[in-house]
């Protein structure tokens, strides 16, 4: 995909429990299957690991002291407080990869999404909307990873998050996972075909015309 230029940055936001992590993983699998190069940015967080979560794969789990040290050292592209914990995207996860032509996916909440868009305006912002309040509640409860109080806080916060969808480029209603993957995959493909993104490939094709036409006209 693409034409050897910079990678694209996809910011995928949704309220907690919106299902975006699975959605991103499946979309990345499809992109890779057709030759795309992409990376899931692993965030730093002060939240304790949930059962089954692996340090370095799901998150870099760090202490508040270490997180604050990184903030002061300017190591984060963005960071935010969410439900009493700190979350941040380190520059190291993102910058070199974009430079190397690799797409990067950020799974972050809306405050962080706004910060990234301020720094990298060409980033593509996708909001994953839950189909309904009841469905989001059901998903959070089914996950059985958070106590009832934490679920209540997340639902309250979700209502506020849903209000900022107007700042995003795309919205995906995550009703059926396979359809949501189709849509996110489609967005990624379309973004790779923006004229501004594939200019160098288009220029190279035009160059073959220039060279070959000259040859043909000489005959
Ligand atoms: P959870 O605790 O459920 O894993 O994540 C809570 C929220 O924090 C989710 O909306 C998730 O997308 C967001 N989040 C995860 N990593 C980051 C990050 O690096 N920065 C920001 N701003 N939010 C993040």
């Amino acid at each position: 995909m693409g034409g050897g230029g910079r990678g694209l940055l996809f910011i995928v936001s949704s309220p907690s429990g919106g299902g975006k992590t699975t959605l991103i993983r499946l979309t990345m699998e499809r992109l890779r299957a057709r030759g795309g190069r992409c990376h899931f940015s692993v965030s730093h967080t002060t939240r304790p690991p949930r059962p089954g979560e692996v340090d370095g794969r799901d998150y870099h789990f760090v202490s508040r002291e270490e997180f604050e040290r990184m903030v002061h050292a300017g190591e984060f592209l963005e960071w935010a407080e969410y439900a009493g914990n700190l979350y941040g995207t380190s520059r190291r996860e993102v910058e070199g990869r974009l430079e190397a032509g690799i797409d990067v996916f950020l799974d972050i909440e809306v405050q962080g999404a706004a910060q990234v868009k301020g720094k990298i305006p060409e980033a593509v912002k996708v909001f994953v909307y839950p189909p309904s309040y009841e469905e989001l509640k059901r998903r959070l409860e089914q996950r059985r990873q958070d106590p009832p109080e934490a679920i209540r806080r997340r639902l309250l916060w979700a209502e506020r998050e849903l209000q900022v969808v107007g700042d995003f480029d795309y919205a995906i209603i995550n009703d059926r996972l396979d359809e949501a993957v189709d849509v996110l995959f489609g967005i990624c493909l379309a973004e790779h075909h923006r004229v501004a993104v594939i200019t160098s490939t288009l220029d190279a094709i035009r160059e073959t015309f220039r060279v070959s036409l000259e040859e043909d006209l000489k005959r």
Side-chain angles (χ1 to χ4, degrees):
M1 261 193 325
R6 273 173 69 82
L8 300 182
L9 182 60
F10 294 99
I11 305 172
V12 185
S13 288
S14 80
S16 180
K20 63 186 173 305
T21 312
T22 312
L23 173 59
I24 296 172
R25 191 175 51 74
L26 293 175
T27 303
M28 285 177 57
E29 278 174 16
R30 274 175 69 177
L31 288 168
R32 288 191 178 120
R34 74 193 299 285
R37 294 193 300 155
C38 45
H39 170 73
F40 179 81
S41 165
V42 180
S43 297
H44 284 69
T45 185
T46 61
R47 169 170 77 61
R50 295 186 182 121
E53 282 185 331
V54 176
D55 187 38
R57 184 194 70 186
D58 300 293
Y59 281 105
H60 300 291
F61 295 100
V62 293
S63 64
R64 200 165 255 265
E65 292 69 41
E66 170 61 4
F67 196 100
E68 282 165 1
R69 185 201 63 72
M70 291 179 70
V71 170
H72 290 122
E75 292 180 27
F76 285 121
L77 178 62
E78 64 74 32
W79 67 274
E81 181 152 5
Y82 181 91
N85 297 301
L86 302 174
Y87 295 84
T89 305
S90 71
R91 295 180 181 281
R92 217 157 45 104
E93 285 286 323
V94 178
E95 289 173 350
R97 292 194 169 89
L98 292 180
E99 209 59 53
I102 299 169
D103 290 349
V104 178
F105 286 81
L106 305 186
D107 169 346
I108 64 178
E109 51 70 64
V110 298
Q111 306 166 77
Q115 291 175 45
V116 178
K117 193 77 181 183
K119 290 180 185 162
I120 307 180
E122 66 276 18
V124 182
K125 282 173 70 174
V126 181
F127 201 110
V128 181
Y129 238 61
S132 66
Y133 173 84
E134 285 307 327
E135 180 58 21
L136 182 62
K137 185 174 167 191
R138 198 188 61 76
R139 286 181 191 170
L140 284 169
E141 286 172 351
Q142 206 176 39
R143 200 158 70 168
R144 290 203 190 93
Q145 286 168 329
D146 295 301
E149 182 44 38
I151 292 180
R152 254 196 305 279
R153 245 183 306 149
R154 280 167 192 264
L155 285 168
L156 194 68
W157 194 247
E159 199 262 330
R160 287 202 231 159
E161 290 181 302
L162 296 182
Q163 292 173 18
V164 303
V165 68
D167 299 336
F168 283 73
D169 302 306
Y170 297 97
I172 301 176
I173 298 167
N174 192 9
D175 195 355
R176 288 193 38 189
L177 181 61
D178 55 344
E179 286 176 5
V181 173
D182 281 347
V183 178
L184 183 55
F185 180 68
I187 290 168
C188 295
L189 284 191
E191 288 293 330
H192 269 283
H193 290 79
R194 279 189 184 276
V195 171
V197 170
I198 52 169
T199 299
S200 58
T201 308
L202 302 177
D203 287 349
I205 294 172
R206 240 183 10 259
E207 181 63 9
T208 66
F209 272 69
R210 198 185 60 75
V211 173
S212 304
L213 257 183
E214 242 167 56
E215 292 293 313
D216 281 352
L217 290 176
K218 273 190 219 150
R219 286 200 192 119

